[in-house]
Amino acid sequence: MNLLLLFQKSIILQYSQWIFISIITIIAFHWFFKYLHRIWPLGKTLDHNHIIADKLNNDDEENEEHDEYTPALEENEHIPYEGATIKLPGGAEQFYKMVHNRRSVRSFKSHPIPSLKVIETCIKAAGTSPSGAHTEPWTFCVVSNKELKQRIREIIEFEEELNYKQRMSRQWTTDLRPLKTDHIKPYLTDAPYLILIFKQIYGFTKSGKRKQHYYNEISVSIATGILLCALQAAGLSSLVTTPLNCGPFLRDLLNRPANEKLLVLLPVGYPADDCRIPDLQRKDLNDIMQMY
Amino acid sequence: MNLLLLFQKSIILQYSQWIFISIITIIAFHWFFKYLHRIWPLGKTLDHNHIIADKLNNDDEENEEHDEYTPALEENEHIPYEGATIKLPGGAEQFYKMVHNRRSVRSFKSHPIPSLKVIETCIKAAGTSPSGAHTEPWTFCVVSNKELKQRIREIIEFEEELNYKQRMSRQWTTDLRPLKTDHIKPYLTDAPYLILIFKQIYGFTKSGKRKQHYYNEISVSIATGILLCALQAAGLSSLVTTPLNCGPFLRDLLNRPANEKLLVLLPVGYPADDCRIPDLQRKDLNDIMQMY
């Protein structure tokens, strides 16, 4: 009974109403912000920044009402478009055979080095990707310098060791076992090129105003898909990697600005002579397509 | 002075210490969860589900330690790969010319209707996309039924009117002005096909265990990029749209399961005879590529 009395007098019970109120407050705040986010998704939260930026940059006539909001793109007359005139002779079938031949490669040979011209053309192809409000929110950093590749490898292997041992779930590392990946990444120094693809979270207009990049992650990932096809068309192999927790270090290493975040890193080149890949099957059409 | 006395006795001041403690608690919780998320990114938060699922499904020998975590894929011997053998005769240059000819189209003609076989081949091509731990987390829903297209249009136009008038920032709608888009979307009923691409947040193994889909949004967006190239190769046009706030309604309409979330919707077909597109330029290579 003494224990019960002690319990009743305990600090927790004494302040129980306040603890209760605190918890209610936390939950209420949580739902309130969730709701706010729902009714004002994405851009809305940045609206205040825009207004401030507008005020800072508005050294023009302040009474010009229509100047308060100007589009990032020019408002030109639209032009006629007759559709896809440059296609493949073999159409979708030829394209499918080509991309079905693509596989992710984890061991590369250092030579021959593909011509930089080809890499540039592949990146130009990726740059034709659609993007939210045509913001083109991508930067492709091509690294061929040996010391820099070595430094990138050191950063990634250091972080990946922590990822595999601490940060990733055991199920995750188990799911990666059939792909035989671990934190040792020789392809980062073997491959003649590394392409680090950064998404630009925001950009700047010609007048220096901050410009919102809508759906930048989806846009840059779509561009990555186009890049993969271009590399395959050129006979090159690659691997899409997402080095967990390495983004800020790699951004600093390459002196990229604060509005850029690493999305993916692709080693690019030719597979090593003894290159082996997982014996994977792709899902059947019936498993990925539904007709309505 | 009376006013000051009143203020000092006010309920806010009286409970100020508790309000202060509440706020501190909220901030502490916020940072704590943010930190948790940082050290256990992605999969880790779902780990408990895995453990529970493991226990529920483990009707095998419980003492088999190595069975506690099994990979979603089979662990087969790896096979040799000689690299990209099926490429384009004109290489990267031919591919670039093809995709540079692609433009987003907002007005479609209802006829001729492209053959379903071609659409299927394009989706098979998209299905060759790489994905996190080869989870292939995509479902392509192809809608050709007129009533269903009409219903989709109604849902999207209803939500988009709210988006344009309330949810999107004024800067956002201004940035869309040069593209001449608004909440009226005739292409949703004009285009012979709508492809709704769903990302699967998680999946299931053959034994019914919940399976984590790593980086599903990036993977499905990359697949979308490959799909766009396939459609262009086949001479078809499309438009990548992200109908804001429509996902749950469209998922219900198409009876998609709870693990699927709408990523993008693409009308597909041939451009209308009077189709006009914005007079946009794409960024120069120098503006999107950096050499190191």
Side-chain angles (χ1 to χ4, degrees), chain B residues 75-246:
Chain B
E75 280 181 279
N76 295 328
E77 271 292 298
H78 281 207
I79 54 171
Y81 180 65
E82 45 174 334
T85 48
I86 305 177
K87 30 197 176 178
L88 287 191
E93 199 57 52
Q94 186 193 356
F95 184 81
Y96 166 65
K97 280 185 186 139
M98 182 183 86
V99 291
H100 187 55
N101 179 245
R102 188 201 61 76
R103 288 295 305 266
S104 294
V105 160
R106 287 180 174 81
S107 58
F108 289 84
K109 54 183 164 202
S110 316
H111 288 89
I113 297 173
S115 116
L116 183 59
K117 183 87 195 128
V118 169
I119 302 291
E120 286 176 346
T121 308
C122 290
I123 289 175
K124 271 164 67 184
T128 69
S129 171
S131 55
H134 194 59
T135 44
E136 302 171 282
W138 37 68
T139 308
F140 298 88
C141 297
V142 179
V143 179
S144 63
N145 178 287
K146 278 203 176 76
E147 288 75 41
L148 211 49
K149 284 195 288 176
Q150 179 60 37
R151 195 68 201 94
I152 290 172
R153 181 173 171 181
E154 285 162 12
I155 289 172
I156 293 180
E157 290 190 342
F158 178 82
E159 290 293 326
E160 285 286 68
E161 190 171 3
L162 289 175
N163 293 337
Y164 275 83
K165 291 189 177 160
Q166 292 174 22
R167 296 183 189 127
M168 292 156 75
S169 69
R170 208 173 135 198
Q171 185 60 51
W172 193 352
T173 53
T174 308
D175 282 344
L176 286 175
R177 225 164 53 200
L179 307 177
K180 295 192 183 167
T181 75
D182 57 25
H183 69 277
I184 307 292
K185 316 275 188 194
Y187 57 73
L188 292 172
T189 42
D190 290 347
Y193 296 103
L194 303 180
I195 304 181
L196 288 86
I197 308 181
F198 289 84
K199 56 180 181 182
Q200 301 168 355
I201 307 301
Y202 55 90
F204 299 96
T205 63
K206 277 175 196 156
S207 60
K209 252 195 243 184
R210 198 177 159 126
K211 189 178 84 175
Q212 175 72 357
H213 282 175
Y214 315 99
Y215 299 109
N216 59 76
E217 181 157 314
I218 295 177
S219 305
V220 183
S221 302
I222 291 175
T224 303
I226 300 175
L227 178 62
L228 289 180
C229 300
L231 293 168
Q232 173 72 24
L236 296 173
S237 287
S238 71
L239 170 71
V240 178
T241 72
T242 46
L244 194 63
N245 270 35
C246 303

Side-chain angles (χ1 to χ4, degrees), chain A residues 15 18 22 26 39 41 47 50 68-75 77-81 83-88 91-93 95-96 98-103 105 116 120-121 123-125 128-130 133-136 138-145 148 167 169-172 174-175 177-180 214-215 217-218 221-222 225-226 228-230 232-233 235 242 244 254 256 263 271 275-283 285 288-292, chain B residues 15 18 22 25-26 39 47 50 68-75 77-81 83-88 91-93 95-96 98-103 105 116 120-121 123-125 128-130 133-136 138-145 148 167 170-172 174-175 177-180 214-215 217-218 221-222 225-226 228-230 232-233 235 242 244 254 256 263 271 275-283 285 288-292:
Chain A
Y15 296 130
W18 294 110
S22 303
I26 290 164
I39 57 165
D47 216 6
H50 283 288
E68 198 196 342
Y69 287 94
T70 46
L73 296 170
E74 280 176 56
E75 279 180 281
E77 273 293 297
H78 282 207
I79 54 171
Y81 180 64
T85 47
I86 306 176
K87 31 199 177 178
L88 287 191
E93 199 58 51
F95 184 81
Y96 166 65
M98 180 183 88
V99 290
H100 188 56
N101 179 245
R102 188 201 60 76
R103 289 296 304 270
V105 160
L116 183 59
E120 286 177 345
T121 307
I123 289 175
K124 271 164 68 185
T128 69
S129 171
H134 194 59
T135 44
E136 303 172 279
W138 36 67
T139 307
F140 299 87
C141 297
V142 180
V143 179
S144 62
N145 177 287
L148 212 47
R167 298 184 188 126
S169 69
R170 206 172 137 198
Q171 185 60 52
W172 192 355
T174 308
D175 282 343
R177 222 164 55 201
L179 307 178
K180 295 190 183 167
Y214 314 100
Y215 299 110
E217 179 157 317
I218 295 177
S221 302
I222 290 175
I226 300 174
L228 290 179
C229 299
Q232 173 73 25
T242 47
L244 195 62
L254 300 183
R256 301 311 308 157
L263 183 76
C275 174
R276 296 176 77 82
I277 54 169
D279 190 9
L280 298 174
Q281 301 306 311
R282 285 174 176 142
K283 284 184 184 169
L285 184 63
I288 64 170
M289 179 179 147
Q290 294 289 326
M291 194 65 212
Y292 294 87
Chain B
Y15 296 133
W18 294 110
S22 303
T25 317
I26 291 164
I39 57 166
D47 216 8
H50 284 288
E68 197 195 344
Y69 288 92
T70 47
L73 297 168
E74 281 177 55
E75 280 181 279
E77 271 292 298
H78 281 207
I79 54 171
Y81 180 65
T85 48
I86 305 177
K87 30 197 176 178
L88 287 191
E93 199 57 52
F95 184 81
Y96 166 65
M98 182 183 86
V99 291
H100 187 55
N101 179 245
R102 188 201 61 76
R103 288 295 305 266
V105 160
L116 183 59
E120 286 176 346
T121 308
I123 289 175
K124 271 164 67 184
T128 69
S129 171
H134 194 59
T135 44
E136 302 171 282
W138 37 68
T139 308
F140 298 88
C141 297
V142 179
V143 179
S144 63
N145 178 287
L148 211 49
R167 296 183 189 127
R170 208 173 135 198
Q171 185 60 51
W172 193 352
T174 308
D175 282 344
R177 225 164 53 200
L179 307 177
K180 295 192 183 167
Y214 315 99
Y215 299 109
E217 181 157 314
I218 295 177
S221 302
I222 291 175
I226 300 175
L228 289 180
C229 300
Q232 173 72 24
T242 46
L244 194 63
L254 300 183
R256 301 312 308 158
L263 183 76
C275 174
R276 296 176 78 82
I277 53 168
D279 190 10
L280 300 173
Q281 302 304 313
R282 286 173 175 142
K283 284 183 184 168
L285 183 64
I288 65 171
M289 180 178 146
Q290 295 290 327
M291 195 65 212
Y292 295 86

Side-chain angles (χ1 to χ4, degrees), chain B residues 45-63:
Chain B
T45 48
L46 277 159
D47 216 8
H48 291 292
N49 293 340
H50 284 288
I51 291 164
I52 293 164
D54 280 350
K55 283 196 179 145
L56 288 173
N57 290 297
N58 233 347
D59 31 23
D60 316 323
E61 298 88 328
E62 281 234 297
N63 50 355

Side-chain angles (χ1 to χ4, degrees), chain A residues 13-33:
Chain A
L13 268 201
Q14 217 176 329
Y15 296 130
S16 65
Q17 50 179 325
W18 294 110
I19 293 169
F20 176 75
I21 288 172
S22 303
I23 291 169
I24 292 294
T25 317
I26 290 164
I27 293 168
F29 264 76
H30 176 80
W31 285 105
F32 177 67
F33 282 116

